[in-house]
Each structure stands twice: as structure tokens, then as C-alpha cells.
Amino acid sequence: MEYIRHDPSSPVESESEMRNKSQHPVTEPSEQSQVIAICLLAGKIMLQSGGETYRVEDTMKRMAAALGLPHSHSYVVPTGIFFSVDATEPAKLIRISERTTDLDKVSEVNAVSRRIGQGQLTVQEAHELLLEIERKPSGYSYAVQLGAAALSSACFTIMFGGGWGDFLPALLCGGIGYAAVILFHRWVRVKFFAELTASFVIGMLAFFLVYVGAGFERDKIIIGSVMPLVPGLLITNAVRDLMAGHLVSGLSKGAEAFLTAFAIGTGIAVVFSLLM
């Protein structure tokens, strides 16, 4: 067996990479720029919709390889995406300022990536599909979101040991609290203050309902009502990113989840300090 030394600056392509490159050759600079734009758009949609950092990087790399750019490099953090393909093309950056939870869009981008890998989509078709996904509104209207938050709050209250007499008060507190988050976030773009104010509203309303006799255990009502505000997906993604070795993203998402929990606790603590 002969040992062949090669230059690291010109890596040897695997058989699958050569096959993908032959299926989707990228020779024109304009087409290469369009492939980069497609990868960045896919990463932007996934990151804004609650996708994990490692999933975003893996999807962008697979799409670039399937479209004829096998030696791509991506670096994703919760607030931005860096993407580069080779030394001749400058690295591209996309700033991420708004993040929400829309796993339907994450699934749709993954479906587009798989179709690209199977050779079912051209560069132009993939770009049009991704633009359509980006323009697509949230899968659920505000009315459905408020109804789900209210119902889940009432069910959490029962699960945490509350009585059936606290079901309707928790349903009301949870719905109003979630509406307060949406409303205050429109007025104040800082998420921390929106969550703090919403938890304060929940605490005040729970105290009022118990005071007038509409509820019985205010602690159970409050606990159940703040559950829709708890950053469960953010905590999960933080742990998964840390396990995947993305320390910067994992720690930043964990810090964001801690701030959300701190905002919720502070709002409730202010209510107790005022009324107890």
C-alpha cells in the first residue's frame, strides 16, 4: 500500500461529493452566488423559526454540497450566520434579530434540502420555494395561540394540584397573560420587559380572582398560567447545542432562557411583595 501525501489546501473529494458536483456543477460566478444566497436563506429561516444551531449548519452544508459547492464552511450563532465556500468568494453574513418558534418552517426547509440532495430541484426552483416559506405567515392565528395558551394554563393548574374550581380562573389568567406578552412585545421590542409585565399581569389577576371568590388557590393558578411563557424549546435547544459541541450558541441560548425565567419570577415576586 502506497502512502500518498497531499496538500491540505486542496482536499481530496469523496466519491459522493464528486457525484453531487457532477450532478449540479457550479461554474458561473453568478450561479455560485445564487447557491450561497439559497444556503443563507435556508439557514436564516431555520434559525429564526427555532432550529438548533447544529441543524442549521448541517442543512446549509448539505445544500451547498448538493448544488456543487462541497467545501463550504458555516458558523452559526443565535444572532448571525457566517457562510463561506472558498478563498475566491468573500464570506457572507446575515444578522438575525427576531427569533420565534415555528417548527413547521424548520420542517419545510429540511424537506427542500432533502429534495435538493435527491436532485429533484434546480437552483432557481429551490430559491423560489425558500422565498415562499419565508413569506408564509405563522401556522396558527393569534386567536388559536391564545386559546391554546389559555387551555394549557388551566390543564397545568390541575396537573400541579389545583382544584377544578381553579380551572376557569387559570384559563382566564393564562389567556390574558399570553395576550399581554404579544401586546407588550409590540410596544417594547425588549422581550425581557414584555415577559416581566405579562407575569405581573398574571399575578395581579390571580390575586384579584381569588379575592372576589372566583378562585381558591392562587399559587396553583399562577404556576399554571405562567407555563406558556416558560422557554421550554429554548432550554432544549441550548442543551442540544452544548451536547453537539456548539458552546457559544448553547451558552447564549441558556442565558436567554435564564433571563426569561428571571423576568417571569421577578414579575410574580413584585406582585407578592405588593399584596402580601
Side-chain angles (χ1 to χ4, degrees):
M1 180 181 295
E2 182 181 1
Y3 175 75
I4 301 176
R5 183 182 300 273
H6 65 277
D7 186 1
S9 62
S10 55
V12 178
E13 298 180 353
S14 65
E15 183 179 351
S16 60
E17 291 175 340
M18 294 177 63
R19 183 168 58 253
N20 288 331
K21 192 170 183 179
S22 63
Q23 291 176 353
H24 298 280
V26 178
T27 57
E28 297 295 332
S30 59
E31 188 175 354
Q32 178 173 315
S33 299
Q34 191 172 14
V35 172
I36 295 174
I38 289 174
C39 295
L40 285 171
L41 180 58
K44 174 186 175 183
I45 296 171
M46 295 183 70
L47 197 60
Q48 286 181 333
S49 302
E52 306 94 320
T53 299
Y54 74 90
R55 187 187 301 275
V56 175
E57 289 186 352
D58 182 68
T59 300
M60 294 173 65
K61 182 177 181 181
R62 289 177 182 272
M63 290 177 65
L67 293 173
L69 299 176
H71 306 302
S72 63
H73 304 277
S74 61
Y75 180 71
V76 177
V77 292
T79 55
I81 300 175
F82 298 87
F83 188 74
S84 176
V85 291
D86 52 37
T88 61
E89 187 78 18
K92 306 294 182 179
L93 165 67
I94 284 186
R95 183 76 164 85
I96 305 297
S97 56
E98 291 289 335
R99 293 183 299 278
T100 183
T101 302
D102 193 343
L103 299 184
D104 185 49
K105 286 188 177 182
V106 176
S107 176
E108 289 181 356
V109 173
N110 279 330
V112 171
S113 175
R114 285 191 293 269
R115 292 180 64 186
I116 292 174
Q118 296 169 0
Q120 299 177 359
L121 293 175
T122 63
V123 174
Q124 185 62 32
E125 290 172 344
H127 192 216
E128 292 175 358
L129 283 175
L130 290 174
L131 287 176
E132 183 179 345
I133 294 172
E134 185 184 29
R135 291 190 296 262
K136 181 181 176 182
S138 178
Y140 302 100
S141 64
Y142 285 129
V144 174
Q145 294 180 41
L146 293 178
L151 183 60
S152 62
S153 298
C155 293
F156 274 120
T157 298
I158 300 300
M159 188 181 73
F160 289 136
W164 286 103
D166 299 320
F167 185 88
L168 290 180
L171 185 118
L172 182 63
C173 290
I176 293 178
Y178 196 81
V181 167
I182 297 175
L183 183 62
F184 288 123
H185 191 54
R186 289 181 179 178
W187 292 345
V188 183
R189 302 307 297 177
V190 180
K191 187 179 178 184
F192 176 86
F193 294 108
E195 292 163 343
L196 189 151
T197 307
S199 62
F200 178 81
V201 170
I202 289 174
M204 293 292 291
L205 187 58
F207 265 85
F208 174 76
L209 292 175
V210 172
Y211 177 76
V212 299
F216 301 98
E217 298 184 72
R218 58 172 171 261
D219 57 335
K220 303 298 190 302
I221 296 174
I222 291 174
I223 293 172
S225 300
V226 300
M227 286 303 293
L229 309 181
V230 174
L233 179 64
L234 197 59
I235 296 173
T236 302
N237 286 349
V239 173
R240 296 186 69 174
D241 283 340
L242 287 173
M243 293 176 64
H246 295 269
L247 302 181
V248 174
S249 296
L251 292 176
S252 60
K253 289 180 180 178
E256 185 178 355
F258 171 78
L259 285 176
T260 299
F262 181 73
I264 296 172
T266 302
I268 300 300
V270 170
V271 174
F272 272 85
S273 64
L274 292 176
L275 302 180
M276 289 294 290

